[in-house]
Amino acid sequence: MAVNIERYKEVVAELLKQNITLVAVSKTKPNQDISDLYNSGQRDFGENYVQELVDKHAVLPSDIRWHFIGHLQTNKAKYIAPFVHLIHGVDSFKLLKEINKQAARCGRVIDCLLQVHIAQEETKFGMDEAELKEVQTNMSSLPNVQISGLMGMASLSDDPEMVRSEFRNLKSIYDRYCKWTTDREQWTILSMGMSSDYRIAIEEGSTMVRIGSLLFGSRQ
Ligand SMILES: *Cc1c(COP(=O)(O)O)cnc(C)c1O
């Protein structure tokens, strides 16, 4: 199935009015689909797998801002460090330390979001508030990473009120940390919302949505 340009334009118009950034999630999708969206103006793309991201980055236009939204294994940070725009799912200090090391080798400061566990499901990655605080306390030792905000995924649920309350919880954590952290002016991104729940996420304060199947069609 090809990318749906008409729907893309509708979504962009809807998000633009509210000043929300769209990350087009292109994992498993062919380069042609990405080029089609690129030619319609999209620049922010999200990928979940390191090798796939590296391959796509090598051949697609160099002004694409690549977001890594998957679970990053520590030993793979080095492959994306030279070019990645924003790493969404950082869920341990160990990983941050490795990103910092690889960023330093590239002479970069890499923007990261800390992933918070908000869903009911045990399987979703992310930190709790105590771990968040712990990480923030140690950030001054990592000059080559910048925490720009938080990311979270709601439960895969048919119950919109449950999804809403999870997003609301993440937003309240975000607000508490904005007040608490020493580099609060850097905290500008709350990445929450996917194809099925992005409208609820925006109502609850999202500033960045990650949308895949709505634009590209369903994945295998
Ligand atoms: C795949 C994925 C998305 C996009 O999901 P859709 O339901 O296709 O919009 C968003 N965020 C993360 C972390 C993902 O892994």
Side-chain angles (χ1 to χ4, degrees):
M1 211 202 304
V3 57
N4 189 331
I5 299 294
E6 283 315 305
R7 184 173 289 153
Y8 167 69
K9 288 183 175 161
E10 286 165 21
V11 171
V12 165
E14 180 186 348
L15 298 180
L16 203 60
K17 275 190 291 199
Q18 307 174 85
N19 222 350
I20 312 282
T21 304
L22 169 64
V23 178
V25 177
S26 47
K27 62 184 173 204
T28 78
K29 296 298 175 181
N31 292 343
Q32 185 59 55
D33 286 4
I34 298 174
S35 293
D36 288 347
L37 268 202
Y38 178 89
N39 290 331
S40 302
Q42 181 65 21
R43 291 296 178 271
D44 291 276
F45 289 89
E47 291 282 339
N48 285 56
Y49 310 104
V50 167
Q51 189 59 51
E52 184 179 352
L53 172 53
V54 167
D55 292 346
K56 286 174 170 175
H57 167 260
V59 297
L60 286 159
S62 60
D63 62 339
I64 287 181
R65 293 183 289 268
W66 291 106
H67 297 242
F68 190 80
I69 65 169
H71 185 68
L72 184 58
Q73 288 172 276
T74 309
N75 61 348
K76 296 199 169 157
K78 59 176 174 282
Y79 300 113
I80 62 173
F83 65 87
V84 70
H85 175 68
L86 178 65
I87 301 177
H88 287 233
V90 178
D91 65 353
S92 73
F93 191 66
K94 177 168 169 264
L95 177 57
L96 269 179
K97 271 200 322 212
E98 179 63 16
I99 295 169
N100 181 71
K101 180 176 152 197
Q102 298 303 332
R105 287 170 67 149
C106 303
R108 303 185 65 206
V109 175
I110 297 182
D111 276 330
C112 295
L113 305 178
L114 301 177
Q115 183 167 1
V116 184
H117 187 276
I118 52 168
Q120 296 296 315
E121 291 125 56
E122 277 299 323
T123 55
K124 296 243 159 81
F125 295 103
M127 299 189 263
D128 61 24
E129 276 203 72
E131 291 169 297
L132 270 184
K133 200 146 197 161
E134 170 97 38
V135 165
Q136 272 300 128
T137 306
N138 292 304
M139 280 312 290
S140 56
S141 63
L142 306 181
N144 292 80
V145 289
Q146 171 65 54
I147 306 292
S148 302
L150 300 180
M151 176 269 203
M153 292 168 82
S155 297
L156 264 183
S157 165
D158 293 334
D159 176 4
E161 288 319 307
M162 176 167 151
V163 169
R164 183 181 297 283
S165 75
E166 291 172 358
F167 285 145
R168 189 166 292 176
N169 180 33
L170 181 54
K171 167 71 165 141
S172 71
I173 295 171
Y174 178 85
D175 288 342
R176 279 201 288 285
Y177 276 79
C178 278
K179 289 206 198 86
W180 185 78
T181 180
T182 48
D183 52 8
R184 76 192 62 167
E185 64 281 1
Q186 308 294 343
W187 273 54
T188 52
I189 301 175
L190 180 54
S191 169
M192 59 182 196
M194 322 195 339
S195 292
S196 60
D197 56 20
Y198 77 94
R199 287 197 170 116
I200 301 175
I202 290 169
E203 284 166 10
E204 296 304 327
S206 171
T207 69
M208 182 177 275
V209 293
R210 309 174 309 269
I211 298 184
S213 48
L214 187 68
L215 306 173
F216 291 101
S218 59
R219 292 177 296 272
Q220 292 300 308

